[in-house]
Amino acid sequence: MNDKGVFPLDKFCNIDTPFYYYDTALLRKTLCAINKETAKYDNFFVHYAIKANVNPKLLCLIKDSGLGVDCVSGGEIQVALNAGFSADKIVFAGVGKSDKEINLGLDSGILCFNVESVPELEVINQLAEKRGMVANVAFRINPDVGAHTHANITTGLAENKFGISMSDMVGIIEMAKGMANVKFVGLHFHIGSQILEMDDFVALCNRVNELQDKLEGMGISVENINVGGGLGIDYHNPNGALIPNFKAYFETYAKNLKLRKGQTLHFELGRSVVGQCGSLITRVLYVKHGAVKKFAIVDAGFTDLIRPAFYQAYHKIENISNDAALDTYDVVGPICESSDVFVKDYQLNGCHRGDLLAIRSAGAYGEVMASQYNCRELPKGYVTEDL
Ligand SMILES: *Cc1c(COP(=O)(O)O)cnc(C)c1O
């Protein structure tokens, strides 16, 4: 039973732990798989949700593959521009865009603002007017579609803070049409993250179809539809699914979403692009025999990877230093919080001080969420070519 990932162990020896390791060959294959599927449809465009990972070398590969970017802050717009993405492939979402962020979007000429409220629309119109510009706006509609995922990462329910309610959709479109400095170009949706059931996306398609029928009946035309991201990855068996099932994902939309003539369909994928190519590499500091448990105390904590503590997320962990007989451990970090646990009652090849563990599937929402709590250093990220 050796189903471990493949790591350049000899090179890891010289690097201070904990650190992120990104397998660029896998990222390249993943990007190829996305492009292969979207090439089947001449009107599908993918924007990488840059909040998932901003490592400059990964961004370079993603840019070279032709993807655009989905940003949720001015800082992300700046990072995307610095990485060389062209502004006309950048979309900008978020419920709380500041004036400064909106101005950055306007000045850099981004493709579209995904607007989440009436007051935000008014501010964009005012700021665009001051610059003598017309801003493209799409409205993020809350489709009240649940997704089978963790409660903290479902975003498309009526109770969530995101988007404009369906009953307000027509009103805000009409309002935009009466404004001189915004142009209504599309509808935007994003129902959540780590979604593995294609039926959740089918439900979104059905809702978008209903809304489009309604608008069409009123003589309102829509240039493009953006269905957000959310495709999940297999955290339990990464080696069995290193590349997510993009075929099924894009086919689901091709089959179920009724696009009107000339409409383009935009996607915003984050986790599924970079999730599997990253691992957090950490060293066992101590093996402690507690009263009822054995602890593998490692040098990474939730300051390096917060997903287990934040979302009760599971990450597969492997002892990549040895193949000793399996034993059962709680793998815990050094932070002074009881929630600083990566996994409990977990089978690992026998751990010793100094062993390296790989915490898998950590390429998305890992390094970008790191903090310096306890005055810890931020983890560094290395791609294959750095070593
Ligand atoms: C986070 C986010 C995404 C990406 O979600 P993934 O689950 O990583 O694919 C897409 N669109 C918006 C608006 C987001 O906030």
Side-chain angles (χ1 to χ4, degrees):
M1 194 215 85
N2 191 338
D3 184 34
K4 294 186 191 180
V6 182
F7 296 99
L9 255 189
D10 50 324
K11 304 203 167 124
F12 283 0
C13 299
N14 310 318
I15 305 175
D16 277 347
T17 50
F19 64 91
Y20 278 88
Y21 170 67
Y22 301 111
D23 177 345
T24 46
L26 177 57
L27 177 59
R28 282 194 182 88
K29 283 186 207 152
T30 306
L31 292 166
C32 280
I34 292 172
N35 279 330
K36 179 175 163 231
E37 295 308 319
T38 53
K40 295 177 183 168
Y41 316 98
D42 57 7
N43 49 359
F44 282 21
F45 293 94
V46 178
H47 303 260
Y48 166 58
I50 198 168
K51 72 176 186 283
N53 191 310
V54 293
N55 178 291
K57 295 193 175 135
L58 301 189
L59 291 184
C60 193
L61 293 176
I62 293 168
K63 179 198 62 173
D64 290 346
S65 78
L67 269 56
V69 191
D70 161 49
C71 297
V72 293
S73 75
E76 288 186 355
I77 293 176
Q78 199 59 65
V79 165
L81 293 171
N82 293 350
F85 285 94
S86 78
D88 61 8
K89 285 185 172 179
I90 297 178
V91 295
F92 181 19
V95 286
K97 301 179 187 75
S98 70
D99 293 22
K100 191 175 163 192
E101 292 175 312
I102 292 169
N103 282 330
L104 175 63
L106 291 169
D107 291 340
S108 43
I110 61 168
L111 176 64
C112 184
F113 289 86
N114 290 330
V115 173
E116 306 213 16
S117 66
V118 168
E120 180 194 332
L121 176 67
E122 290 167 342
V123 170
I124 293 175
N125 186 54
Q126 283 162 14
L127 296 175
E129 186 185 359
K130 277 195 193 141
R131 289 168 152 66
M133 298 173 69
V134 176
N136 287 338
V137 295
F139 295 118
R140 176 168 180 177
I141 307 299
N142 184 327
D144 198 16
V145 169
H148 297 88
T149 185
H150 189 273
N152 288 7
I153 51 177
T154 178
T155 54
L157 287 173
E159 67 198 53
N160 295 131
K161 71 176 177 180
F162 298 101
I164 293 156
S165 70
M166 288 181 286
S167 55
D168 294 337
M169 174 183 73
V170 172
I172 197 168
I173 293 174
E174 306 265 273
M175 192 181 289
K177 295 200 161 186
M179 293 175 169
N181 298 88
V182 294
K183 177 175 180 237
F184 166 66
V185 296
L187 298 179
H188 174 235
F189 306 85
H190 175 63
I191 56 172
S193 202
Q194 185 50 20
I195 299 169
L196 291 164
E197 310 230 1
M198 291 303 131
D199 281 353
D200 291 340
F201 298 120
V202 173
L204 173 61
C205 289
N206 292 338
R207 185 47 61 72
V208 176
N209 292 339
E210 276 171 36
L211 295 175
Q212 285 236 82
D213 288 344
K214 178 171 174 181
L215 292 176
E216 204 168 49
M218 302 179 74
I220 297 173
S221 67
V222 181
E223 279 176 36
N224 67 65
I225 302 289
N226 181 332
V227 289
L231 177 62
I233 62 173
D234 190 341
Y235 284 95
H236 286 269
N237 181 19
N239 293 343
L242 285 172
I243 298 178
N245 193 346
F246 294 113
K247 183 170 190 290
Y249 176 74
F250 290 113
E251 263 176 20
T252 298
Y253 281 99
K255 274 196 196 130
N256 294 283
L257 193 76
K258 290 189 215 125
L259 285 182
R260 294 346 192 223
K261 210 169 157 27
Q263 274 184 340
T264 50
L265 182 59
H266 297 251
F267 299 87
E268 301 168 339
L269 295 174
R271 187 189 312 270
S272 55
V273 180
V274 290
Q276 295 292 32
C277 78
S279 295
L280 176 60
I281 308 297
T282 181
R283 205 175 278 282
V284 176
L285 294 173
Y286 305 104
V287 177
K288 170 163 140 176
H289 297 253
V292 290
K293 295 222 174 195
K294 223 179 263 181
F295 296 96
I297 302 174
V298 299
D299 61 4
F302 72 56
T303 51
D304 306 293
L305 176 65
I306 201 175
R307 299 189 67 261
F310 198 16
Y311 311 114
Q312 293 80 51
Y314 171 83
H315 285 264
K316 184 178 163 91
I317 302 181
E318 295 162 347
N319 183 341
I320 56 175
S321 291
N322 81 57
D323 287 319
L326 293 174
D327 204 343
T328 304
Y329 302 90
D330 282 12
V331 180
V332 302
I335 318 275
C336 299
E337 298 284 346
S338 301
S339 61
D340 190 28
V341 175
F342 288 109
V343 67
K344 287 187 174 170
D345 301 318
Y346 195 74
Q347 296 244 299
L348 283 174
N349 293 111
C351 288
H352 305 87
R353 174 173 167 80
D355 284 358
L356 290 178
L357 305 188
I359 305 181
R360 302 285 306 276
S361 312
Y365 309 111
E367 190 180 354
V368 281
M369 283 194 174
S371 77
Q372 294 197 292
Y373 180 49
N374 286 189
C375 295
R376 286 166 58 81
E377 277 179 40
L378 290 174
K380 291 202 170 67
Y382 299 94
V383 305
T384 314
E385 291 78 5
D386 291 331
L387 304 181

